[in-house]
Amino acid sequence: MTTQFPVTNGDLPVGEGDGRSYEAGTDKPLLEISDLQVSFTTSEGVVHAVRGADITVYPGQSVAIVGESGSGKSTTAHAVIDLLPGTGKVTGGSIKFDGREIVGLPRAEIEAMRGRDIGLVPQDPMSNLNPVWRIGTQIEEALKANGFDGGKRERKERVASLLAEAGLPDAERRARQYPHEFSGGMRQRSLIAIGLASRPKLLIADEPTSALDVTVQRQILDHLEVLTQELGTAVLFITHDLGLAAERAEHLVVMFKGRVVESGPARQILANPQHPYTRRLVASAPSLASRRIQVAHEQGQESDELLAPDLDATVPRAGVAKAAQADIVVAKNLTKVFNIRGGRPGASTDFKAVDDVSFTLKRGHTLALVGESGSGKSTAANMVLGLLDATSGVVEFDGTDIASLSAKEAFAFRRRIQPVFQNPYGSLDPTFSIFRSIEEPLALHKVGGKKEREKRVRELLDMVALPQSAMRRFPNELSGGQRQRIAIARALALQPEVIVLDEAVSALDVLVQAQILELLGNLQDELGLSYLFITHDLAVVRQIADSVVVMQTGKVVEQATTDEVFDNPRQQYTRDLLAAIPGAGLEGAAIAG
Amino acid sequence: MLWYLGRRLLQVIPVFLGATLLLYALVFLRPGDPVAGLGGERGLPEAVQAQIREQYNLNEPFIVQYLLFLKGVFTLDFGIDFRGQEIIDVIGAALPVTFQLAIMALVIEAVFGVLFGLIAGMRKGGWFDGTVLVISLLVISVPTFVIGFVLQFVMGVKLGWFPVTVGRDPNFYSLLLPAIVLAATSFAYVLRLTRTSVAENLSADYVRTARAKGLRRSQVTGRHVLRNSLIPVVTFLGADLGNLMGGAIVTEGIFNINGVGGTLYQAIIRGENVTVVSLTTVLVIVYILANLLVDLLYAALDPRIRYA
Amino acid sequence: MPENRYETVPGGRRPRPGQEHFAAEVDEGGLGAVDAVKSDAAPTSLWRDAWLQMRRRPMFWVAATIILLVITVAAFPSWFTSVHPRFDCELAKSLAGPEPGHPFGFDKQGCDIYARTIYGARASVLVGVMSTAMVVIIGTIMGAVAGYYSGWFDVVLSRITDIFFAIPLVLAAIVIMSITTNRTSFTVALVLASFGWTSIARITRGTVLSVKNNEFVTAARSLGMGRGRILVRHVMPNSSAPIIVYATVALGTFIVAEATLSFLGIGLPPSTVSWGGDIAQAQRAIRQAPEILFYPAAGLALTVLGFIMMGDVVRDALDPKARTR
């Protein structure tokens, strides 16, 4: 395995070491945040986003702030470079950079520090580059703003070398291109080039890779690590992924609801979490959970016993002997070709989204379809759902080819297979009350009378562990996890046999994700459901699936039981995916807890 | 880019044919004899009427009439109007004046609309924003012809700063007041559009990235906020050029300008169908060209379009 | 595997100052409250939420008051004046100033300006409401069908929209009105609507195109719901916000267009009292009595202002970007 770890001198004798060394006597913090308070003024009143955060970063060190959405982690980071959005304001505490107080500095002085002393690599590569300027121009701006001395020629050369340094091949040509001509990974590399352009002492990396495919994530994080190590740049990571944080940073800061609930050396926190929140986080982080199972396997234990206590015995595990069951969904040689129209006449090209894909889902089992964006996994799922016609190949449901169904039979088929989608904000009609959303399938399929339907809606809400009073609410009043529960309740309304879970937990926070996975496991046990689980996240797969189909660019790369795939991956691509799980390289002892 | 242009040109053809056919049908398929009504109370002598019918192909089936008219458009030979003037000369006399007026109005609304919109958008919620917003609401609410009268009366008649009417020799100075009147409503729209767009872009991620790079505020505003906010504004302005030329009817009436609007209005009242159709066709062509120009500008301003 | 860098016992050095292992006291709020369903307060649908937002804005109340006032005046002009705008005229009082019972004075024909201003509201409101209603019907259907059924439907309907869009509204209205013998509020509204529907069609098309890609639409499809039913039950309700906003503003602009036509003498006939017509009248006497222009113009401007302000408020309340969730 080639994964790297932050080599930090915290573990080494003072004075000895590489680019990250700090000398004896200069062991002063680079960044010292103490009792930071940040508030936003909204129409509902003042919201305290950060309530007394203390964070210390030493030169050349990497520190990670871990938290869920709304924990105040990004707000804290933005306060450091005075880029709080909207009405955000630092209302108390101090931020010292290199010993100098920067809260309340005049604008010009903050502007002088940005880029030169503190760089930023932002979260979403799609929206963080200005679409109307060339990549090179946007990097040049960073150089010019921070006093790069040298003429136009030198500047252009510097831009090219920065891009090359960030890992973009053919940098000179790339510099002349526009952001929309770049892939997400390339854009993120450009943003890293911008962030490091003026060699800042501190780089704030705000979820720098969470919008990217897992294998790309890994490459970019590795690269960023090597680069900052060479330059001796301190890195402040902002992330929701505890596994990633522990792997990349020496010191962790766990935030929850605007407060630092726990901080300390990464290993200590993983091995010995003190605060109940951190404990839950350690128990639930899919990357860590999956790693725990892995470690256990290496030690010859059954994975069942090793899950987090609250997940234990509820999620049906790989390895649990399930009675041999009949096949419920069989996909045979599925192929889907899309015709892409080009910009010029006659320039249309055929694009094979799904290419000769076959798999089998057994009744009562969970089959995971794993792949990165463009792998064709969702297209395959839509064909199984009968929402998309296959170009060739067949989908058999309980022995019947679904393409051969008459209109009436097709309508009846809908009752037997239902989807749950990724985006908890898009999957419920915002104009429908929760009751109407769940009742709609019943009404459409003329199940029972009005009274019975209401009774059934109440039952379904119980099933997904939501109070019955929720049914009068509207989707905009619920959290992401709650909406996903509603979506599951709607999918269950017609008592289907198969549920297609299309990235159903990917958009959720770690703890909520764990809850939903638990719920799905319980429902499977109670109702004998079969799941087709579509995801990009192998870590989650380990926790829920019986068998795995790995897809890449429309083709099946590998398919086997979950344990086989994890313990004994046969294809390089599968190995890459496994290696890309954050924390995959963490030593067992650190997490077995 | 060339393919993009070519595709846009291809789309223009059905729009041009459809719009001219629609206008032609509206004017010529009206109930009643178009010729019998000419010549006032007494009407024209039979022989003259017959001659006119012959001249304007009125004896042909409708669709043939239309095709002959189209042929005229492409050969720049619109024929002569009922008073014996070459219609192309009538257009040639009227079009430049209206064009000058519309361009002046366009410049006024663009400069002031973008400027005020930028300041208001940068400080959304401030006193300047509030004031400008109320003014823009008032300007939109008061119809152009009322603004025209009031400005004409106050600035022209009472204060004497501007000529009251333009008349025969239009020049920059005499067209200034009409141009302001013509620009007024669109100015308010440009202002509001710029304001919204600026306020939206201010919170865009790439603006934050630009600030994080260490750019000064003026640089961020100019190179990122304003530059990106101009995209929808330019689109609006281009489409508005056509509206300004068509909408000049009222303004030209108030200030007695012999432009397309005035000529068209006279022709409509007198029932000179051929002149009406010819002038409206010219306006439609201007409108379509302006929209084509917008698309090209759009592509120039937004690189994402160029390769689409 | 790499060498063991993560021993359970921290090696060698202690953490540096400020980086010792720290755990906060457990908050009284607890962790359980993370994902509770709000149980107090009434459920807020999108519309209710918009209403709650709107009613906080003073501008909403100003706009609502103006609109309500104008509509009342238009519906029951006799509540506001007992003077008849056309029959109670005396030429002797031509352009005379205000006097008791006649607060705004008299116009050139010696008619009471106050009464004419009151009675002028009806024509404007009637044309505005009728043309907006027609435009919404035509535009929504055209746009929804083009956006939802895409393919050839979309190509043909979009080109038709382009054609109508290429002819300026006032220009087309002038051409048609000049040949219309029967000029009533209804015909004026019809003419305005027949060329004014294109913007709403384009807006609807764009919204429908984006709404139909939502996952709740796919969910409805996988329930076996028919396309037409999905359009009516899911897509249209979620596309209605921009249509409502545009329609509110369009009402104002149609009132201006009607006034422009009446002002040019090809809108409503002189037998119908209208602000546009009265402004044209007043303009002819502007040098003798400029103030009489003010009243019909103010009535017109106030009405349009009311609708445009309302459009602004409604847009702010319905704008998805303004919402946090």
Side-chain angles (χ1 to χ4, degrees):
Chain A
M1 210 169 288
T2 57
T3 43
Q4 280 144 345
F5 292 94
V7 182
T8 56
N9 285 317
D11 297 328
L12 296 169
V14 174
E16 187 192 307
D18 51 23
R20 286 197 172 222
S21 70
Y22 58 95
E23 309 203 344
T26 61
D27 193 2
K28 283 193 203 126
L30 177 67
L31 178 72
E32 208 176 1
I33 301 174
S34 44
D35 196 27
L36 180 71
Q37 316 266 353
V38 181
S39 321
F40 290 86
T41 320
T42 68
S43 51
E44 263 94 55
V46 178
V47 176
H48 301 282
V50 178
R51 306 178 292 154
D54 299 292
I55 296 166
T56 308
V57 181
Y58 284 89
Q61 195 187 29
S62 59
V63 169
I65 308 181
V66 187
E68 299 178 70
S69 50
S71 63
K73 58 185 193 303
S74 289
T75 308
T76 306
H78 289 142
V80 173
I81 34 174
D82 192 26
L83 287 179
L84 288 170
T87 57
K89 244 187 130 168
V90 174
T91 49
S94 96
I95 302 172
K96 283 203 178 103
F97 185 82
D98 244 354
R100 178 179 176 213
E101 178 62 51
I102 55 176
V103 171
L105 270 190
R107 197 182 75 219
E109 287 181 49
I110 290 276
E111 278 171 358
M113 285 181 72
R114 288 190 201 132
R116 202 176 307 199
D117 293 326
I118 308 176
L120 173 76
V121 178
Q123 180 167 15
D124 181 3
M126 296 308 171
S127 61
N128 271 291
L129 288 163
N130 190 333
V132 308
W133 297 112
R134 294 173 203 274
I135 297 286
T137 314
Q138 300 192 45
I139 301 176
E140 264 187 76
E141 272 185 348
L143 292 173
K144 276 197 262 183
N146 295 300
F148 177 79
D149 49 341
K152 206 174 167 190
R153 162 97 63 71
E154 283 103 335
R155 222 163 45 221
K156 291 247 187 284
E157 280 167 10
R158 185 91 183 92
V159 165
S161 73
L162 280 168
L163 277 176
E165 177 189 282
L168 269 182
D170 201 4
E172 256 173 80
R173 187 174 66 86
R174 290 295 181 193
R176 287 194 301 272
Q177 287 185 314
Y178 288 95
H180 69 270
E181 299 170 77
F182 275 32
S183 70
M186 287 156 72
R187 292 188 208 193
Q188 195 63 58
R189 288 178 190 276
S190 316
L191 284 165
I192 290 175
I194 289 173
L196 290 173
S198 307
R199 303 302 184 219
K201 293 180 201 145
L202 174 69
L203 186 71
I204 297 173
D206 183 6
E207 301 264 15
T209 54
S210 56
L212 304 174
D213 273 338
V214 280
T215 49
V216 183
Q217 269 184 29
R218 178 104 208 147
Q219 291 165 9
I220 288 186
L221 286 174
D222 284 349
H223 195 89
L224 184 64
E225 197 169 301
V226 172
L227 209 56
T228 50
Q229 219 164 305
E230 279 170 10
L231 299 169
T233 313
V235 183
L236 183 62
F237 276 108
I238 315 296
T239 179
H240 66 279
D241 191 330
L242 192 58
L244 185 140
E247 190 179 50
R248 301 287 169 182
E250 165 189 0
H251 178 77
L252 294 189
V253 177
V254 181
M255 287 188 76
F256 175 64
K257 285 185 171 176
R259 297 184 50 183
V260 174
V261 293
E262 190 157 357
S263 66
R267 286 160 302 166
Q268 275 187 17
I269 289 191
L270 279 202
N272 188 17
Q274 297 293 315
H275 195 275
Y277 176 74
T278 322
R279 275 192 226 139
R280 276 174 68 171
L281 211 54
V282 170
S284 308
S287 51
L288 295 174
S290 128
R291 178 73 192 128
R292 252 193 309 276
I293 299 170
Q294 190 72 24
V295 171
H297 268 243
E298 283 158 16
Q299 296 167 354
Q301 281 172 278
E302 272 301 318
S303 48
D304 252 27
E305 305 132 34
L306 292 148
L307 282 159
D310 53 335
L311 295 176
D312 202 13
T314 54
V315 184
R317 287 270 51 77
V320 177
K322 285 181 181 167
Q325 292 276 14
D327 300 341
I328 180 92
V329 175
V330 180
K332 285 184 192 155
N333 311 101
L334 273 185
T335 300
K336 180 70 193 178
V337 178
F338 288 112
N339 191 272
I340 310 286
R341 269 206 302 169
R344 54 196 65 182
S348 72
T349 43
D350 283 347
F351 167 68
K352 258 190 191 166
V354 173
D355 189 359
D356 195 20
V357 167
S358 306
F359 53 82
T360 304
L361 170 63
K362 286 195 189 319
R363 200 179 277 276
H365 279 231
T366 300
L367 172 71
L369 235 50
V370 183
E372 300 183 281
S373 55
S375 64
K377 57 188 191 300
S378 288
T379 310
N382 281 338
M383 287 191 281
V384 170
L385 279 165
L387 295 175
L388 207 58
D389 291 330
T391 309
S392 69
V394 270
V395 175
E396 280 175 12
F397 189 93
D398 208 7
T400 316
D401 178 0
I402 62 167
S404 71
L405 299 174
S406 68
K408 208 174 156 194
E409 289 166 333
F411 186 68
F413 161 69
R414 298 286 178 204
R415 297 180 64 157
R416 305 181 65 184
I417 182 165
Q418 279 294 305
V420 175
F421 296 107
Q422 168 172 18
N423 181 354
Y425 298 100
S427 59
L428 296 176
D429 188 330
T431 60
F432 275 37
S433 70
I434 299 308
F435 174 78
R436 246 184 111 191
S437 276
I438 304 179
E439 191 234 22
E440 183 176 45
L442 301 169
L444 186 70
H445 286 265
K446 304 201 169 55
V447 178
K450 224 175 159 179
K451 278 253 168 62
E452 290 149 66
R453 289 206 292 264
E454 190 181 321
K455 194 167 149 260
R456 176 86 180 125
V457 171
R458 288 177 188 279
E459 263 172 41
L460 286 162
L461 282 168
D462 284 342
M463 240 185 250
V464 296
L466 280 174
Q468 294 186 358
S469 63
M471 75 187 196
R472 283 168 54 238
R473 308 262 147 209
F474 285 85
N476 60 320
E477 300 176 87
L478 302 182
S479 71
Q482 289 165 350
R483 291 185 205 205
Q484 213 59 328
R485 284 169 193 267
I486 302 292
I488 293 170
R490 177 180 56 188
L492 290 174
L494 294 167
Q495 296 174 300
E497 293 148 67
V498 177
I499 295 192
V500 176
L501 300 157
D502 191 349
E503 300 273 15
V505 294
S506 307
L508 304 174
D509 275 329
V510 179
L511 293 184
V512 181
Q513 196 178 45
Q515 284 172 355
I516 300 284
L517 286 175
E518 188 187 339
L519 171 71
L520 288 171
N522 291 339
L523 290 171
Q524 188 168 45
D525 287 352
E526 280 167 36
L527 308 172
L529 295 169
S530 319
Y531 293 145
L532 185 60
F533 194 88
I534 318 293
T535 185
H536 68 281
D537 188 353
L538 264 177
V540 174
V541 167
R542 175 110 245 201
Q543 296 178 68
I544 190 161
D546 296 298
S547 45
V548 180
V549 175
V550 179
M551 289 183 69
Q552 187 188 16
T553 56
K555 292 196 178 73
V556 173
V557 177
E558 181 158 358
Q559 73 178 295
T561 66
T562 307
D563 282 346
E564 262 176 57
V565 166
F566 275 79
D567 295 343
N568 191 16
R570 266 164 296 172
Q571 301 294 325
Q572 184 56 44
Y573 181 67
T574 314
R575 281 195 282 272
D576 290 346
L577 281 181
L578 285 170
I581 300 175
L586 286 177
E587 190 50 43
I591 50 163
Chain B
M1 188 69 189
L2 271 178
W3 284 110
Y4 174 71
L5 180 61
R7 212 173 58 216
R8 284 294 296 122
L9 277 170
L10 273 178
Q11 282 176 357
V12 157
I13 295 170
V15 175
F16 170 77
L17 292 178
T20 47
L21 179 62
L22 190 64
L23 280 168
Y24 200 85
L26 280 177
V27 174
F28 280 91
L29 285 184
R30 64 159 92 175
D33 187 332
V35 182
L38 294 172
E41 291 289 304
R42 287 177 297 145
L44 295 171
E46 268 311 305
V48 181
Q49 285 192 24
Q51 192 199 338
I52 290 173
R53 284 204 176 84
E54 184 63 28
Q55 190 177 357
Y56 297 108
N57 310 310
L58 293 182
N59 298 324
E60 306 284 348
F62 169 74
I63 198 70
V64 176
Q65 289 180 33
Y66 170 69
L67 289 175
L68 286 168
F69 164 74
L70 264 193
K71 186 182 152 218
V73 173
F74 286 113
T75 54
L76 284 180
D77 175 18
F78 292 94
I80 55 172
D81 69 9
F82 293 158
R83 286 175 299 171
Q85 279 174 293
E86 282 281 345
I87 292 177
I88 188 74
D89 292 339
V90 176
I91 295 173
L95 198 60
V97 184
T98 303
F99 195 67
Q100 192 190 346
L101 184 67
I103 293 290
M104 284 170 68
L106 199 68
V107 171
I108 292 171
E109 69 183 61
V111 171
F112 291 97
V114 169
L115 187 69
F116 289 173
L118 177 65
I119 301 174
M122 295 290 293
R123 302 215 171 92
K124 205 172 172 185
W127 65 267
F128 184 86
D129 182 37
T131 316
V132 155
L133 210 60
V134 170
I135 292 174
S136 75
L137 280 174
L138 287 174
V139 169
I140 293 175
S141 306
V142 181
T144 306
F145 55 93
V146 175
I147 297 178
F149 288 140
V150 172
L151 288 188
Q152 184 185 44
F153 184 69
V154 176
M155 309 279 238
V157 178
K158 286 278 168 194
L159 298 172
W161 291 351
F162 292 97
V164 178
T165 55
V166 176
R168 292 193 162 277
D169 60 331
N171 55 45
F172 177 79
Y173 179 58
S174 62
L175 284 177
L176 193 55
L177 192 60
I180 292 172
V181 171
L182 186 59
T185 310
S186 299
F187 153 77
Y189 281 117
V190 171
L191 188 156
R192 286 158 60 96
L193 191 61
T194 312
R195 172 182 174 271
T196 325
S197 188
V198 163
E200 211 166 89
N201 280 320
L202 262 183
S203 58
D205 282 349
Y206 57 79
V207 168
R208 190 189 54 201
T209 307
R211 290 174 65 195
K213 283 186 225 174
L215 294 193
R216 281 190 316 261
R217 189 152 75 181
S218 57
Q219 291 171 313
V220 176
T221 307
R223 294 179 54 84
H224 293 277
V225 178
L226 183 59
R227 172 66 173 71
N228 289 54
S229 304
L230 280 182
I231 296 172
V233 175
V234 166
T235 313
F236 175 87
L237 286 175
D240 202 40
L241 180 65
N243 289 332
L244 288 176
M245 297 203 47
I249 293 183
V250 173
T251 314
E252 290 182 359
I254 295 169
F255 291 97
N256 191 21
I257 300 167
N258 297 317
V260 173
T263 313
L264 185 59
Y265 188 68
Q266 293 303 318
I268 291 171
I269 298 300
R270 287 199 223 106
E272 293 188 14
N273 293 344
V274 187
T275 314
V276 172
V277 168
S278 306
L279 278 169
T280 46
T281 301
V282 170
L283 285 178
V284 167
I285 292 174
V286 169
Y287 185 84
I288 289 174
L289 287 180
N291 271 293
L292 205 59
L293 192 72
V294 167
D295 282 346
L296 296 183
L297 268 173
Y298 197 60
L301 281 172
D302 191 342
R304 284 167 294 185
I305 306 295
R306 261 174 261 174
Y307 303 88
Chain C
M1 288 302 288
E3 67 204 86
N4 184 355
R5 289 200 178 94
Y6 282 83
E7 302 145 306
T8 25
V9 184
R13 275 178 71 91
R14 297 216 325 264
R16 285 181 271 194
Q19 297 196 328
E20 298 85 2
H21 192 163
F22 154 87
E25 301 277 303
V26 179
D27 223 353
E28 20 357 296
L31 304 178
V34 181
D35 220 19
V37 178
K38 194 165 62 170
S39 53
D40 52 344
T44 42
S45 68
L46 288 177
W47 300 115
R48 199 180 126 79
D49 204 20
W51 159 243
L52 292 178
Q53 293 219 6
M54 279 199 304
R55 70 175 190 189
R56 278 205 295 254
R57 309 248 331 247
M59 197 160 142
F60 167 75
W61 294 106
V62 175
T65 311
I66 294 175
I67 292 173
L68 216 65
L69 177 72
V70 170
I71 289 177
T72 316
V73 167
F76 310 104
S78 52
W79 290 4
F80 297 85
T81 176
S82 53
V83 182
H84 194 280
R86 284 176 53 225
F87 302 143
D88 295 344
C89 307
E90 294 171 63
L91 264 176
K93 292 202 170 157
S94 176
L95 300 178
E99 57 181 68
H102 305 279
F104 297 169
F106 298 87
D107 68 7
K108 194 145 190 175
Q109 270 69 46
C111 302
D112 177 56
I113 294 177
Y114 173 71
R116 286 194 72 88
T117 308
I118 290 291
Y119 275 85
R122 178 173 285 178
S124 286
V125 171
L126 215 53
V127 172
V129 170
M130 282 194 295
S131 43
T132 305
M134 289 187 248
V135 156
V136 167
I137 294 168
I138 306 171
T140 309
I141 292 175
M142 293 288 277
V145 169
Y148 189 66
Y149 292 97
S150 52
W152 273 106
F153 259 123
D154 187 19
V155 173
V156 172
L157 291 184
S158 292
R159 278 304 88 78
I160 292 176
T161 311
D162 285 350
I163 289 170
F164 277 84
F165 197 76
I167 303 172
L169 174 63
V170 173
L171 186 68
I174 290 171
V175 171
I176 307 178
M177 287 314 294
S178 69
I179 57 177
T180 308
T181 44
N182 177 26
R183 295 185 199 156
T184 62
S185 298
F186 180 74
T187 48
V188 172
L190 191 68
V191 167
L192 289 176
S194 57
F195 282 85
W197 55 271
T198 51
S199 296
I200 225 163
R202 287 180 169 192
I203 290 169
T204 310
R205 176 175 174 275
T207 320
V208 166
L209 268 177
S210 76
V211 170
K212 78 169 181 180
N213 285 325
N214 265 303
E215 284 173 341
F216 61 78
V217 172
T218 320
R221 280 179 60 206
S222 37
L223 286 173
M225 196 181 271
R227 285 178 66 114
R229 194 158 165 187
I230 293 178
L231 177 64
V232 174
R233 284 175 66 100
H234 289 288
V235 177
M236 286 325 289
N238 282 288
S239 308
S240 55
I243 298 173
I244 291 169
V245 171
Y246 180 82
T248 318
V249 176
L251 221 160
T253 54
F254 283 127
I255 289 177
V256 172
E258 178 275 319
T260 307
L261 290 179
S262 298
F263 162 74
L264 289 172
I266 48 178
L268 296 169
S271 56
T272 309
V273 183
S274 73
W275 288 331
D278 281 6
I279 292 169
Q281 291 287 327
Q283 187 244 342
R284 270 163 230 145
I286 196 164
R287 278 165 203 256
Q288 299 103 300
E291 67 278 2
I292 63 170
L293 178 71
F294 175 79
Y295 302 104
L300 185 56
L302 194 69
T303 308
V304 178
L305 186 68
F307 284 107
I308 289 181
M309 275 164 64
M310 186 57 92
D312 264 17
V313 179
V314 172
R315 189 196 47 224
D316 288 349
L318 290 176
D319 184 4
K321 277 186 207 139
R323 296 173 168 278
T324 44
R325 279 185 286 164

